[in-house]
Amino acid sequence: MKTKIGVFLFLAIIILACSEQKVDTKAEGEKLMEISRQWSTSASTDNIEKTLGYWADDAIVMSPGEPQLKGKEAIRAMVEGTSKVPGFKISWEPLSVEVSKSGDMAYMVEQNQITVNDSLGHPITQYNKGVTVWKKQADGSWKNVVDIFNSNPPEKK
């Protein structure tokens, strides 16, 4: 009887091990980099709802010199506020991505640039580096859960 139980347990373990789905982390990473690029394009438009749609409901945004924002309503207020800043533009480009083996979490290293007008109406641009953390949702979509960036040091001449 013990032998039958042992064989059954052994077979059950093998079946469970074989049924594990392998995640193509490279393909998921490429997908995420494209999502980030689409998000950057969306952020350069006036479509606030579409831009907000890339963040999870409980997302955290940490911008330089600003208090931490948590949740969609706080992030909405930030996005709506920046749309009123003269000359405000933002864009970014993902540089690298790492997807967890389980395929449910990822992070990206990105660079961004933010332009605003100075007091004379001339555009000034700040170049930044950042990290975004992404979580796969129950429906298979990816949402940003942490967005943090800071300024790059000035280039040495």
Side-chain angles (χ1 to χ4, degrees), residues 24-54:
D24 186 345
T25 57
K26 183 177 179 187
E28 286 296 316
E30 290 169 2
K31 179 178 171 182
L32 264 170
M33 289 185 74
E34 184 55 33
I35 290 169
S36 180
R37 289 182 187 106
Q38 291 169 2
W39 189 14
S40 177
T41 300
S42 174
S44 68
T45 70
D46 290 334
N47 191 338
I48 291 174
E49 293 308 313
K50 184 173 181 182
T51 300
L52 285 170
Y54 289 91

Side-chain angles (χ1 to χ4, degrees), residues 6-22:
V7 170
F8 175 76
L9 287 175
F10 178 73
L11 290 174
I13 290 170
I14 289 176
I15 290 170
L16 286 174
C18 292
S19 67
E20 267 187 46
Q21 293 183 350
K22 297 288 182 189

